[in-house]
Amino acid sequence: MKKILIHLEADKQASVFDQITAYDAGVDHIIAYGGVAEEDVTNLVYGAMFTRGGEDLRHTAIFIGGSHVPTAERIMSKVQETFFGDVRVSVMFDANGSNTTAAALVHKIAGGRSLQGKKALVLAGTGPVGIRAAILLAGEGCEVYLSSRKLERAEEAAKYIETSYGIQVKPVHIGAREETRQMMQDHGINIAACCGAPGALLLDQDTWSSLPELEIIADINAVSPLGVAGMKVTDNGKERAGKLLYGAIAIGNLKMKVHRAAVRSLFVNNSTILDFSALYELTKTLGE
């Protein structure tokens, strides 16, 4: 029986990137829908639920993507609301690549080492990757600070995390780059996770190289200028100035492995739900 992946997203065109990745993971056929509205979801999911029964349901799965994460989250909720009892299929949520990226980012930082009691700063942390990274770092035992150029945005993100996940992170305002040094020095930051937009420099080399308590730096930005000056995108635990650095390509390579492994795992049974926490657990099985 063929492995069929139903790809749903609100963007006008379903992501070519996600479809090629799914084929590379061994999917036989993808039924892709772009422009999906919430009211469309139920009938689309019924098509997945009622065409195959019993053990055969595991051969159908749903992938939810799209560039706008909040909209995709509503689609995800609608998908799950449509299931009942054992009549369901496995689902993967990775809108804008945020879940697989956050999972890979934090796995590189954790790297088999204990983070218990470490102080972590998520720079430019109010986007989907930053929020998920903050939650995962807190789950590893870190005291997490989440920054934004606008304090109210950091406060909103921190409130969302506490309300949705019962996890407390500390919102901080970091506007000009010179404020970064002061904040990291004052709070004794050990870990910096840079989650800024492409081409946005967040951490200059003079700052990170001079902070004695800083141990690990990771950056998801692969576009020049990088989020961390003096880092290379290929750094994969490279020691520079006494810090361990993880660049965007090293993180991205793991993200792709996670994505492919996640798609393959959808067809093991008909009840797998792959959100960012499940994807993070999956990274631990990949030997990276």
Side-chain angles (χ1 to χ4, degrees):
M1 183 168 284
K2 291 187 182 297
K3 296 176 183 176
I4 296 176
L5 186 67
I6 301 169
H7 178 136
L8 306 178
E9 62 177 79
D11 291 15
K12 183 179 178 181
Q13 300 289 340
S15 166
V16 171
F17 178 98
D18 289 328
Q19 292 179 66
I20 291 174
T21 304
Y23 279 123
D24 287 347
V27 171
D28 295 308
H29 189 68
I30 299 169
I31 303 172
Y33 292 91
V36 175
E38 287 180 66
E39 57 267 26
D40 301 325
V41 171
T42 298
N43 283 334
L44 292 170
V45 175
Y46 281 162
M49 293 166 59
F50 298 135
T51 47
R52 292 169 165 176
E55 179 68 14
D56 289 342
L57 277 168
R58 71 182 179 88
H59 296 290
T60 304
I62 295 172
F63 176 88
I64 300 170
S67 60
H68 190 252
V69 176
T71 300
E73 287 177 331
R74 292 192 291 272
I75 290 174
M76 175 68 167
S77 295
K78 193 68 175 177
V79 167
Q80 292 180 285
E81 289 170 10
T82 305
F83 296 149
F84 57 87
D86 293 331
V87 186
R88 59 184 61 239
V89 298
S90 292
V91 185
M92 177 178 172
F93 181 95
D94 197 30
N96 211 27
S98 57
N99 285 352
T100 48
T101 300
L105 169 68
V106 176
H107 186 70
K108 287 294 184 183
I109 292 170
R113 60 182 71 90
S114 174
L115 301 184
Q116 190 68 41
K118 299 292 185 181
K119 295 183 178 181
L121 171 62
V122 182
L123 283 158
T126 59
V129 175
I131 287 172
R132 287 155 172 76
I135 295 167
L136 294 173
L137 286 166
E140 289 288 345
C142 293
E143 180 181 338
V144 179
Y145 297 82
L146 187 148
S147 85
S148 175
R149 289 175 296 178
K150 296 183 178 180
L151 181 58
E152 59 269 25
R153 289 192 64 191
E155 290 172 337
E156 287 172 7
K159 184 177 180 180
Y160 167 78
I161 291 170
E162 183 172 11
T163 301
S164 302
Y165 299 95
I167 292 171
Q168 290 189 336
V169 303
K170 300 179 181 181
V172 293
H173 169 260
I174 296 179
R177 284 200 302 273
E178 54 267 23
E179 295 174 351
T180 308
R181 180 196 299 268
Q182 193 65 52
M183 185 275 163
M184 296 178 76
Q185 186 172 294
D186 289 348
H187 294 281
I189 297 298
N190 310 118
I191 297 164
C194 299
C195 300
L201 175 63
L202 300 176
L203 193 56
D204 65 77
Q205 190 168 0
D206 287 343
T207 294
W208 64 258
S209 63
S210 66
L211 294 170
E213 295 188 46
L214 184 61
E215 303 169 19
I216 302 170
I217 309 169
D219 178 30
I220 65 169
N221 174 21
V223 177
S224 183
L226 304 181
V228 180
M231 174 184 280
K232 293 185 177 180
V233 291
T234 53
D235 282 348
N236 190 17
K238 175 73 175 179
E239 184 174 334
R240 300 184 188 277
K243 327 297 181 188
L244 296 179
L245 272 58
Y246 296 93
I249 287 180
I251 294 167
N253 287 341
L254 177 56
K255 173 236 180 333
M256 292 304 299
K257 290 182 180 179
V258 174
H259 193 142
R260 289 190 289 265
V263 172
R264 287 192 292 269
S265 75
L266 291 172
F267 300 95
V268 174
N269 57 55
N270 69 317
S271 57
T272 298
I273 302 294
L274 293 178
D275 58 7
F276 69 92
S277 58
L279 288 164
Y280 182 56
E281 290 304 311
L282 182 62
T283 64
K284 300 174 184 180
T285 71
L286 299 180
E288 284 276 337

